Amino acid sequence: MGKKINAIFFDFDGVIVDSQQLWELMFDEVVKIYRLDMICLVENDGMNFTTNEAIQLMLENQQRFTNHLYEEIINWTEKFYVENFHPFVQLNGHVAEMLEHLKANQIQIVLVSNSSRRQIDYAFQQLKLHSYFDHTISADDVSKGKPNAEPYLKALSLSEKQKEEVLVIEDSLTGINAAKDAGLNYKIYNNSDFCHQPNYIADFRELIKEI
């Protein structure tokens, strides 16, 4: 892998956990219940927003934004996430094995996610992940989420590592662009759109062999 890696920054949804069904269900329901129009997300690439940013944009686009309504919808999404976490969210294959390997080799492990702090804390509790991660960066910890570089730059500061010591694991263009803009090396996990890239990995056992 070249220079020694002393810290790995992981995305959460799509990398540590498979949660796509939950997010799709959540957005389907919130759009119906609150009569939101997702066209503005499609026009601006909906993958480029945190949940809070997406809700705010949809409300503003319909000229319906008020702090009260915004907070109501955000609270609804947080409650929905908890109530529907099971059976829609599970660890991706070989995640526990990989995290154990990294800990045994004294590699710092950092989570960098566009999910909210409440969502991450709940997921960590349910999946028993707290002991593995040295730091967690959520959407609530930054002023701008991915694809902005801010979440990764904050993670870098907390890690106290040099950029060349860090490897990012992402699965989306949004996350990749954030890592690139932060000047960090990255690998792309299990996204067929990138399967021909030299830094693509389909299975975390490949990462275990390299570290």
Side-chain angles (χ1 to χ4, degrees):
M1 185 176 284
K3 293 184 179 178
K4 179 169 172 51
I5 297 301
N6 289 313
I8 300 187
F9 297 172
F10 290 94
D11 180 39
F12 190 56
D13 296 286
V15 174
I16 297 297
V17 295
D18 179 357
S19 54
Q20 184 175 352
Q21 283 184 286
L22 177 58
W23 285 104
E24 289 177 351
L25 184 62
M26 178 192 292
F27 267 86
D28 284 346
E29 289 298 309
V30 76
V31 164
K32 282 188 240 177
I33 292 170
Y34 288 99
R35 305 185 315 278
L36 300 174
D37 187 350
M38 293 182 67
I39 187 64
C40 60
L41 301 185
V42 176
E43 290 173 347
N44 290 280
D45 186 356
M47 291 297 291
N48 280 351
F49 300 102
T50 65
T51 302
N52 293 19
E53 289 169 343
I55 298 300
Q56 181 173 344
L57 181 61
M58 286 189 285
L59 288 173
E60 289 176 346
N61 194 60
Q62 292 177 294
Q63 298 183 329
R64 294 173 56 206
F65 182 87
T66 64
N67 287 329
H68 176 77
L69 181 56
Y70 170 76
E71 291 295 336
E72 178 183 332
I73 297 174
I74 294 303
N75 288 333
W76 182 94
T77 63
E78 298 287 359
K79 183 180 178 184
F80 186 95
Y81 185 91
V82 168
E83 291 177 347
N84 294 276
F85 188 86
H86 299 289
F88 293 110
V89 179
Q90 60 187 356
L91 288 176
N92 277 320
H94 305 288
V95 164
E97 178 185 354
M98 173 195 61
L99 294 175
E100 290 281 2
H101 176 80
L102 297 179
K103 274 294 180 188
N105 285 274
Q106 300 182 311
I107 306 296
Q108 193 176 134
I109 307 172
V110 182
L111 189 84
V112 184
S113 175
N114 269 356
S115 292
S116 72
R117 171 59 56 191
R118 283 183 284 180
Q119 289 163 353
I120 290 171
D121 285 347
Y122 183 79
F124 269 38
Q125 178 187 31
Q126 296 302 303
L127 299 171
K128 298 178 172 53
L129 292 172
H130 280 292
S131 63
Y132 292 110
F133 287 84
D134 299 286
H135 304 287
T136 59
I137 306 295
S138 74
D140 300 309
D141 301 315
V142 294
S143 59
K144 289 185 178 294
K146 306 173 198 175
N148 193 282
E150 183 184 350
Y152 278 120
L153 291 175
K154 181 159 190 174
L156 186 66
S157 177
L158 286 173
S159 75
E160 299 184 335
K161 304 297 183 187
Q162 299 299 311
K163 289 184 178 182
E164 56 270 19
E165 298 178 84
V166 173
L167 179 67
V168 170
I169 310 295
E170 274 286 355
D171 72 316
S172 71
L173 185 59
T174 297
I176 291 167
N177 285 339
K180 281 182 178 178
D181 287 349
L184 298 174
N185 293 318
Y186 62 89
K187 284 190 177 289
I188 307 164
Y189 172 73
N190 198 28
N191 182 333
S192 58
D193 290 342
F194 300 94
C195 64
H196 298 298
Q197 297 288 331
N199 54 349
Y200 174 81
I201 57 171
D203 189 307
F204 280 126
R205 287 173 294 188
E206 297 175 40
L207 186 62
I208 291 172
K209 289 177 183 177
E210 294 184 35
I211 299 295

PDB file of all heavy atoms in Angstrom, residues 19 23-24 27 35 105 113 125 129 135 172 184 190:
ATOM      1  N   SER A  19     -27.728   0.022   4.702  1.00  0.00           N
ATOM      2  CA  SER A  19     -28.916   0.712   5.223  1.00  0.00           C
ATOM      3  C   SER A  19     -29.764   1.322   4.113  1.00  0.00           C
ATOM      4  O   SER A  19     -30.647   2.137   4.379  1.00  0.00           O
ATOM      5  CB  SER A  19     -28.487   1.815   6.195  1.00  0.00           C
ATOM      6  OG  SER A  19     -27.543   2.681   5.559  1.00  0.00           O
ATOM      7  N   TRP A  23     -33.209   4.027   4.299  1.00  0.00           N
ATOM      8  CA  TRP A  23     -33.208   5.406   3.808  1.00  0.00           C
ATOM      9  C   TRP A  23     -34.237   5.599   2.700  1.00  0.00           C
ATOM     10  O   TRP A  23     -34.916   6.630   2.644  1.00  0.00           O
ATOM     11  CB  TRP A  23     -31.811   5.790   3.325  1.00  0.00           C
ATOM     12  CG  TRP A  23     -30.871   6.036   4.459  1.00  0.00           C
ATOM     13  CD1 TRP A  23     -29.888   5.218   4.913  1.00  0.00           C
ATOM     14  CD2 TRP A  23     -30.855   7.181   5.322  1.00  0.00           C
ATOM     15  NE1 TRP A  23     -29.254   5.776   5.996  1.00  0.00           N
ATOM     16  CE2 TRP A  23     -29.828   6.980   6.274  1.00  0.00           C
ATOM     17  CE3 TRP A  23     -31.615   8.346   5.380  1.00  0.00           C
ATOM     18  CZ2 TRP A  23     -29.544   7.906   7.263  1.00  0.00           C
ATOM     19  CZ3 TRP A  23     -31.321   9.276   6.373  1.00  0.00           C
ATOM     20  CH2 TRP A  23     -30.304   9.054   7.293  1.00  0.00           C
ATOM     21  N   GLU A  24     -34.368   4.629   1.817  1.00  0.00           N
ATOM     22  CA  GLU A  24     -35.364   4.735   0.753  1.00  0.00           C
ATOM     23  C   GLU A  24     -36.768   4.771   1.332  1.00  0.00           C
ATOM     24  O   GLU A  24     -37.614   5.570   0.908  1.00  0.00           O
ATOM     25  CB  GLU A  24     -35.217   3.564  -0.226  1.00  0.00           C
ATOM     26  CG  GLU A  24     -33.965   3.655  -1.091  1.00  0.00           C
ATOM     27  CD  GLU A  24     -33.788   2.446  -2.005  1.00  0.00           C
ATOM     28  OE1 GLU A  24     -34.547   1.454  -1.839  1.00  0.00           O
ATOM     29  OE2 GLU A  24     -32.884   2.487  -2.862  1.00  0.00           O
ATOM     30  N   PHE A  27     -37.418   8.239   3.095  1.00  0.00           N
ATOM     31  CA  PHE A  27     -37.704   9.363   2.202  1.00  0.00           C
ATOM     32  C   PHE A  27     -39.037   9.190   1.482  1.00  0.00           C
ATOM     33  O   PHE A  27     -39.753  10.170   1.258  1.00  0.00           O
ATOM     34  CB  PHE A  27     -36.555   9.581   1.221  1.00  0.00           C
ATOM     35  CG  PHE A  27     -35.556  10.584   1.719  1.00  0.00           C
ATOM     36  CD1 PHE A  27     -34.503  10.208   2.549  1.00  0.00           C
ATOM     37  CD2 PHE A  27     -35.690  11.927   1.402  1.00  0.00           C
ATOM     38  CE1 PHE A  27     -33.603  11.139   3.032  1.00  0.00           C
ATOM     39  CE2 PHE A  27     -34.799  12.875   1.877  1.00  0.00           C
ATOM     40  CZ  PHE A  27     -33.745  12.485   2.696  1.00  0.00           C
ATOM     41  N   ARG A  35     -45.972  16.068   2.189  1.00  0.00           N
ATOM     42  CA  ARG A  35     -46.242  16.602   0.839  1.00  0.00           C
ATOM     43  C   ARG A  35     -45.040  17.386   0.297  1.00  0.00           C
ATOM     44  O   ARG A  35     -45.159  18.531  -0.150  1.00  0.00           O
ATOM     45  CB  ARG A  35     -47.496  17.493   0.844  1.00  0.00           C
ATOM     46  CG  ARG A  35     -48.722  16.813   1.404  1.00  0.00           C
ATOM     47  CD  ARG A  35     -49.982  17.647   1.299  1.00  0.00           C
ATOM     48  NE  ARG A  35     -49.779  19.028   1.699  1.00  0.00           N
ATOM     49  CZ  ARG A  35     -49.773  19.460   2.943  1.00  0.00           C
ATOM     50  NH1 ARG A  35     -49.933  18.614   3.937  1.00  0.00           N
ATOM     51  NH2 ARG A  35     -49.592  20.732   3.219  1.00  0.00           N
ATOM     52  N   ASN A 105      -3.897  -4.157  15.299  1.00  0.00           N
ATOM     53  CA  ASN A 105      -2.709  -3.571  14.683  1.00  0.00           C
ATOM     54  C   ASN A 105      -2.539  -2.093  15.014  1.00  0.00           C
ATOM     55  O   ASN A 105      -1.747  -1.403  14.372  1.00  0.00           O
ATOM     56  CB  ASN A 105      -2.750  -3.785  13.172  1.00  0.00           C
ATOM     57  CG  ASN A 105      -2.421  -5.219  12.789  1.00  0.00           C
ATOM     58  OD1 ASN A 105      -1.264  -5.587  12.645  1.00  0.00           O
ATOM     59  ND2 ASN A 105      -3.454  -6.052  12.638  1.00  0.00           N
ATOM     60  N   SER A 113     -19.401  10.602   8.705  1.00  0.00           N
ATOM     61  CA  SER A 113     -20.707  10.308   8.114  1.00  0.00           C
ATOM     62  C   SER A 113     -21.552  11.561   7.936  1.00  0.00           C
ATOM     63  O   SER A 113     -21.421  12.531   8.693  1.00  0.00           O
ATOM     64  CB  SER A 113     -21.458   9.320   9.019  1.00  0.00           C
ATOM     65  OG  SER A 113     -22.769   9.091   8.565  1.00  0.00           O
ATOM     66  N   GLN A 125     -25.005   1.755  19.238  1.00  0.00           N
ATOM     67  CA  GLN A 125     -25.510   1.020  20.396  1.00  0.00           C
ATOM     68  C   GLN A 125     -26.088  -0.329  19.968  1.00  0.00           C
ATOM     69  O   GLN A 125     -25.795  -1.365  20.573  1.00  0.00           O
ATOM     70  CB  GLN A 125     -26.585   1.847  21.105  1.00  0.00           C
ATOM     71  CG  GLN A 125     -27.201   1.146  22.308  1.00  0.00           C
ATOM     72  CD  GLN A 125     -28.367   1.929  22.880  1.00  0.00           C
ATOM     73  OE1 GLN A 125     -29.088   2.622  22.165  1.00  0.00           O
ATOM     74  NE2 GLN A 125     -28.558   1.825  24.183  1.00  0.00           N
ATOM     75  N   LEU A 129     -20.768  -1.052  18.279  1.00  0.00           N
ATOM     76  CA  LEU A 129     -19.611  -0.551  17.542  1.00  0.00           C
ATOM     77  C   LEU A 129     -18.771   0.463  18.314  1.00  0.00           C
ATOM     78  O   LEU A 129     -17.665   0.804  17.887  1.00  0.00           O
ATOM     79  CB  LEU A 129     -20.077   0.097  16.229  1.00  0.00           C
ATOM     80  CG  LEU A 129     -20.654  -0.847  15.170  1.00  0.00           C
ATOM     81  CD1 LEU A 129     -21.239  -0.034  14.017  1.00  0.00           C
ATOM     82  CD2 LEU A 129     -19.594  -1.814  14.663  1.00  0.00           C
ATOM     83  N   HIS A 135     -12.920   8.096  17.041  1.00  0.00           N
ATOM     84  CA  HIS A 135     -13.656   9.350  16.868  1.00  0.00           C
ATOM     85  C   HIS A 135     -14.811   9.121  15.901  1.00  0.00           C
ATOM     86  O   HIS A 135     -14.745   8.241  15.040  1.00  0.00           O
ATOM     87  CB  HIS A 135     -12.752  10.449  16.296  1.00  0.00           C
ATOM     88  CG  HIS A 135     -11.518  10.715  17.090  1.00  0.00           C
ATOM     89  ND1 HIS A 135     -11.528  11.358  18.304  1.00  0.00           N
ATOM     90  CD2 HIS A 135     -10.213  10.415  16.827  1.00  0.00           C
ATOM     91  CE1 HIS A 135     -10.289  11.451  18.767  1.00  0.00           C
ATOM     92  NE2 HIS A 135      -9.471  10.887  17.891  1.00  0.00           N
ATOM     93  N   SER A 172     -19.404   6.180  -2.367  1.00  0.00           N
ATOM     94  CA  SER A 172     -20.179   7.070  -3.236  1.00  0.00           C
ATOM     95  C   SER A 172     -19.314   8.192  -3.784  1.00  0.00           C
ATOM     96  O   SER A 172     -18.274   8.538  -3.190  1.00  0.00           O
ATOM     97  CB  SER A 172     -21.358   7.685  -2.470  1.00  0.00           C
ATOM     98  OG  SER A 172     -20.882   8.629  -1.517  1.00  0.00           O
ATOM     99  N   LEU A 184      -6.898  13.469   0.757  1.00  0.00           N
ATOM    100  CA  LEU A 184      -6.673  12.165   1.372  1.00  0.00           C
ATOM    101  C   LEU A 184      -6.756  11.041   0.342  1.00  0.00           C
ATOM    102  O   LEU A 184      -7.534  11.111  -0.617  1.00  0.00           O
ATOM    103  CB  LEU A 184      -7.724  11.916   2.457  1.00  0.00           C
ATOM    104  CG  LEU A 184      -7.714  12.918   3.625  1.00  0.00           C
ATOM    105  CD1 LEU A 184      -8.888  12.646   4.556  1.00  0.00           C
ATOM    106  CD2 LEU A 184      -6.395  12.855   4.381  1.00  0.00           C
ATOM    107  N   ASN A 190     -17.192  -1.621  -2.766  1.00  0.00           N
ATOM    108  CA  ASN A 190     -18.374  -2.342  -3.217  1.00  0.00           C
ATOM    109  C   ASN A 190     -19.406  -1.485  -3.952  1.00  0.00           C
ATOM    110  O   ASN A 190     -20.606  -1.555  -3.682  1.00  0.00           O
ATOM    111  CB  ASN A 190     -19.044  -3.030  -2.018  1.00  0.00           C
ATOM    112  CG  ASN A 190     -19.998  -4.133  -2.452  1.00  0.00           C
ATOM    113  OD1 ASN A 190     -19.809  -4.744  -3.504  1.00  0.00           O
ATOM    114  ND2 ASN A 190     -20.998  -4.393  -1.643  1.00  0.00           N
TER     115      ASN A 190
END
